Every structure is written in structure tokens, then in C-alpha cells.
Amino acid sequence: MKIRRFFAKDMRDAMNQVKQELGSDAVIMSKTKLEDGIEVVAAYDQEPKVQRRDPQSKPAAKKNAPRQFASALSAATSERNATNATPTLSEIIGDQGPDSLKALLDRGVNSSAEASNTEVKSGPSNKKSSSEKPVVNVSDSQHHKAMDDMRDELSSIRNVLQFQVAELFKEKNAQEQPHIHYLREQLACMGLTNAIVEELLSYAPDTVSEREAWVFLLKLLANKIKVPKRSFLQTGGIVSLIGPTGAGKTTTAAKLAAQFASRHGADSVALVTIDSYRIAAFEQLATYGKIIGCTVKKAANEQQLSDVLQQLKNKKLVLIDTAGFNQRDSRLMTQTGVLTGQNNGKIKHVMVLPANGQKQALVQSIKSYDGLSIEGCILSKIDETFSLGEAISVLIEQQLPATFITDGQKVPEDLKAAESRYLVSTAAKLYQQYSRADQTKAASQ
């Protein structure tokens, strides 16, 4: 394979030089705009002389595939380089369908990469055709850099083509199974992950209407959400509320304490904070405790927490409020050590996650507490979210039971036991209210 650089005032002139020097089968590897024109790097894979074959014999498909790919790619790229645009898939593959393109793509790009690797190992050929102009010798480092650039360019082209092939398969499936495509789009717009969407669609019935299939899938989604039969408001115990900053742990602790006090009396519940980092953290919790009429304590380390829990051993429910940290904060490990101390083994850990958080952020928040055994999850800020599918996906994929949800700032009214059907119906309503409305508006424009 030969590589040449051409300098010209514009792309048209550069293309003419490439065709004159290397022929119409040359592949344009890259183009760079300069102050006084444009630089084009082109490659030409000179084929060996073909030996005579039996007219009835067929050429090997594996050897023709790279050539076929390079020729098609060169023709499409040459036309669109003048406009600085990426060649479309239809321009490159012509009449070939998506089923045969993947094999052609794999053979063509891999074989081209192998050819470049062979060129690097063996070095450039010293044989020159009498009709070719002499090629200026370059240093080994420049030659290796050129080979690396070519491999990067091929890899980039392959990524683009694979993306376009995926789009072709998607369009093909949409035409063959329009009702499945419709349901897939709706579930995806709800915020559910691709894995959950495909799993639900594998159970989609074929003999019912789209509306009936939609209701069936929502019920199936609700069955995938774990909800405990009895919550700690019924069983009592020592419960720590953990989670990211701003999730609403302190307000949620006050709501839980107020509801428990209304059922069992204020003397049966106590609030404890180990948040010694946030300004006025204890004062905020103490204000809630004064309104509820329950005991409020604070602890700064493992021993203090152990002593406080010993003092409160007669309480039916002890709620521990914690500070929120990101997973890279060293103080998170310190706080985890306080909760998992030798004398604090009876603590149950419940995570508070904001329903309006991004999926990746919610997953990372859960991973940051890998040292704790999380027994459930409280979804907060339901009233502040525009899409609930991301939070539902996290609950299902992380196998976290949903214990409570909060949908406002009122203490203790805006707290209720989690119900899987309520979560799914709320997610569907949010989709109808926001995502689908945006789609309709965009279509009308």
C-alpha cells in the first residue's frame, strides 16, 4: 500500500492530482485545511499481477471483499469530500442490504488494517513502476505515524458505518413489526433502560391491540418492582437513612418520626444525627424533634453513636440521619465506618434517592455504599421529577425494594408507603404529560 500527500488550493484540484497520480481507485484517508489551501492524504493498494485462472473458477470472496469495500468507499468519499460531509451508508453500500453489509464491513476494514500492519513490518517496497513518479522517502517515525493515522481513520469510518447499519436494522424491524416498534418507543420515552425495555417486549402479546399490549407491559413492569410486605414503621428497630447530598434525608427522617409518633406516641421514637459536617445539621433535626415531641441526639464517631444507641435502647424506632458525600470523598468512608462499628451491627440501612436524579448518578450513589447492606430505598422528590422511568430502572436493576415515597415538603403528610402500581402509573402519566407532549409539538413543527 502506497501513501501520498497532495497539496492544492482547493479540494477539486487535490482530487484531480490524486486521480492523475494514483488513479480512481485511491482511497482518501484524511484532508486538512491549510492557510494557503488544503492537504490530502491518499492511499493506493497496488494489486499484484493476476495469474490466469480457469474461466469457470470463481474468485475468493475474502480477497475481493477488501477491494470491493475500498472501491465503494473511495467513490462515495471522493464525491462528498468537496462538501466536507461524511458519506452516507446508502452511497457506500449501494444496493447491498444490511444483512450482507456487516460481513463486508468486517472483512474490508480488517483486511485493510492487516495490510497496513504488514506494510509497517516489511517496510515500503523499493520496486517502482516506470509510469509512477518517484516517492519521497520519509523517516521511520513519519512512516509509523502515517500508518497509525490510517488505522485511526479506518476505525473511525467503521464506527460510523456500524452506527448506520444499526439504524438500518432498526428501520427494518420497525417495518416488519410496527406494533413492537411503537411499544419500544413509548417505553424508552418513559426513561426505562434498553435492557428492561427489551425484556418487557419479549413478553408482549401479538394477538391484542396496541392499547391492550401497553397496559399488559405496564402491569408486567409493576411486578418487577420489589415492595416489602412490612416496613420498619411497622416493625421498628434502628434505621439509618443514607444517600447523596440533597436527597432529602433530614426531612424524610422527620416525616417518618412524625408518622411513627402519631401511631405509637412521641416517646417511642428518637432521632439521631451523625452529620457533623453540614452547618446547623443538628439544629434542623432538633427543630423537627421539638415539633414532634421526640428525643434528638447527635454523635460524632463510632463510640459516641454506640453510647447514644445504648441510651435509646428502650425506643421502638431510632432514625439516624447521615451526611451526604460523593463516592470520592474520604469522609464517606469515615461515616461508613461509624455505621458499621462493632457495637452498631443492629442498624438497618435504607437509602434515600431523589426521583429526579439521572440514572448514572443514582447508580453511582448506590455503589458508593457498597460497604453497607442496603435493605430498601425511599424515593424522594416525586413531585419534582418530569420522568420516573430512570429511578424505576435503578430499583429493578439494583434489586432495591421500594419502601416509601415522598412527594412534597409537608411533615408528615407528604410521605406514603411505596406501591409498585402507583410508581408505574405515575411514570406513565409523566410520559403522557411531558415526553409525549414534546413529541407531538415537535411533529407539528
Side-chain angles (χ1 to χ4, degrees):
M1 176 175 289
K2 296 182 180 297
I3 296 178
R4 292 288 308 276
R5 295 179 183 271
F6 298 89
F7 298 91
K9 60 181 181 179
D10 53 28
M11 193 62 195
R12 184 187 299 268
D13 188 16
M15 292 301 302
N16 290 334
Q17 292 185 35
V18 172
K19 290 181 179 179
Q20 292 177 1
E21 296 291 333
L22 302 181
S24 60
D25 290 337
V27 178
I28 303 300
M29 306 307 301
S30 67
K31 59 181 185 297
T32 306
K33 291 185 177 180
L34 305 175
E35 294 182 357
D36 55 348
I38 187 170
E39 176 191 16
V40 174
V41 178
Y44 175 69
D45 188 5
Q46 186 175 7
E47 294 181 339
K49 294 183 179 179
V50 181
Q51 297 179 356
R52 292 187 177 181
R53 296 174 175 269
D54 186 354
Q56 296 181 352
S57 64
K58 296 182 180 179
K62 184 175 181 181
K63 294 183 179 180
N64 286 343
R67 189 65 181 170
Q68 183 181 359
F69 174 79
S71 300
L73 181 61
S74 174
T77 307
S78 300
E79 293 181 3
R80 299 185 65 89
N81 271 338
T83 58
N84 197 25
T86 302
T88 62
L89 187 62
S90 60
E91 292 173 335
I92 295 177
I93 68 174
D95 297 331
Q96 299 193 46
D99 294 329
S100 61
L101 176 61
K102 187 177 184 300
L104 173 63
L105 178 62
D106 290 339
R107 292 197 303 268
V109 176
N110 290 337
S111 299
S112 299
E114 291 174 2
S116 64
N117 289 333
T118 305
E119 181 71 17
V120 172
K121 293 179 180 179
S122 60
S125 176
N126 293 325
K127 297 181 179 180
K128 298 181 181 179
S129 175
S130 58
S131 61
E132 292 180 342
K133 293 186 178 181
V135 180
V136 179
N137 293 328
V138 295
S139 64
D140 291 341
S141 60
Q142 290 176 327
H143 185 73
H144 283 282
K145 183 179 183 304
M147 292 297 102
D148 292 339
D149 292 342
M150 185 176 66
R151 280 192 291 268
D152 292 341
E153 189 74 15
L154 287 172
S155 177
S156 176
I157 294 173
R158 180 174 185 174
N159 292 335
V160 173
L161 292 179
Q162 286 179 335
F163 173 79
Q164 294 184 352
V165 169
E167 291 298 318
L168 275 183
F169 276 110
K170 187 182 296 184
E171 293 177 4
K172 180 180 178 182
N173 292 334
Q175 294 175 358
E176 294 177 350
Q177 298 177 313
H179 65 290
I180 295 295
H181 176 72
Y182 170 77
L183 295 173
R184 179 182 287 109
E185 291 295 323
Q186 283 197 307
L187 292 172
C189 290
M190 279 180 60
L192 299 175
T193 61
N194 292 334
I196 294 178
V197 169
E198 295 304 324
E199 183 178 355
L200 293 175
L201 290 176
S202 65
Y203 297 98
D206 297 329
T207 58
V208 298
S209 64
E210 290 180 351
R211 174 62 183 172
E212 292 173 329
W214 173 249
V215 174
F216 173 82
L217 293 179
L218 292 183
K219 291 180 179 179
L220 186 62
L221 178 63
N223 292 334
K224 296 179 69 65
I225 302 176
K226 291 184 177 181
V227 177
K229 295 182 179 179
R230 300 185 66 190
S231 69
F232 55 83
L233 283 188
Q234 298 170 311
T235 60
I238 305 173
V239 179
S240 71
L241 301 183
I242 58 178
T245 304
K249 296 185 294 296
T250 303
T251 305
T252 301
K255 293 176 182 178
L256 292 168
Q259 288 200 8
F260 194 85
S262 65
R263 301 174 187 175
H264 305 280
D267 293 337
S268 63
V269 62
L271 292 170
V272 179
T273 180
I274 60 173
D275 184 0
S276 58
Y277 308 99
R278 187 163 52 93
I279 298 176
F282 174 74
E283 287 74 11
Q284 181 183 3
L285 200 64
T287 301
Y288 284 125
K290 185 177 180 180
I291 296 173
I292 299 170
C294 65
T295 304
V296 180
K297 298 285 186 178
K298 63 179 178 179
N301 52 51
E302 176 187 340
Q303 185 59 47
Q304 290 183 12
L305 179 60
S306 178
D307 295 340
V308 168
L309 294 180
Q310 181 65 25
Q311 298 172 16
L312 302 175
K313 63 180 180 179
N314 295 326
K315 303 292 183 180
K316 293 182 179 179
L317 177 65
V318 178
L319 296 169
I320 303 175
D321 184 26
T322 65
F325 301 108
N326 66 64
Q327 61 177 351
R328 294 178 294 274
D329 197 322
S330 59
R331 294 175 295 181
L332 176 61
M333 298 299 297
T334 302
Q335 180 174 259
T336 302
V338 173
L339 294 173
T340 57
Q342 184 176 2
N343 300 323
N344 302 328
K346 296 181 179 180
I347 301 177
K348 302 176 183 178
H349 308 290
V350 177
M351 175 158 285
V352 181
L353 291 176
N356 58 354
Q358 296 179 347
K359 176 183 177 295
Q360 190 62 29
L362 298 179
V363 172
Q364 292 300 325
S365 297
I366 297 173
K367 289 183 178 180
S368 62
Y369 289 92
D370 283 342
L372 301 178
S373 177
I374 303 175
E375 299 191 5
C377 174
I378 299 175
L379 281 182
S380 63
K381 302 183 179 183
I382 295 288
D383 56 315
E384 299 180 21
T385 185
F386 296 95
S387 175
L388 198 54
E390 290 84 354
I392 291 177
S393 298
V394 171
L395 292 178
I396 296 174
E397 293 179 348
Q398 300 297 320
Q399 297 292 303
L400 274 181
T403 55
F404 294 94
I405 60 174
T406 68
D407 54 0
Q409 296 293 324
K410 294 181 180 179
V411 179
E413 295 87 351
D414 295 333
L415 177 109
K416 61 186 70 174
E419 295 179 359
S420 59
R421 290 192 176 184
Y422 174 80
L423 288 173
V424 173
S425 63
T426 302
K429 290 177 182 178
L430 290 173
Y431 160 67
Q432 296 284 344
Q433 185 176 358
Y434 296 106
S435 297
R436 193 166 187 176
D438 292 341
Q439 291 176 353
T440 305
K441 183 178 179 180
S444 63
Q445 292 177 350

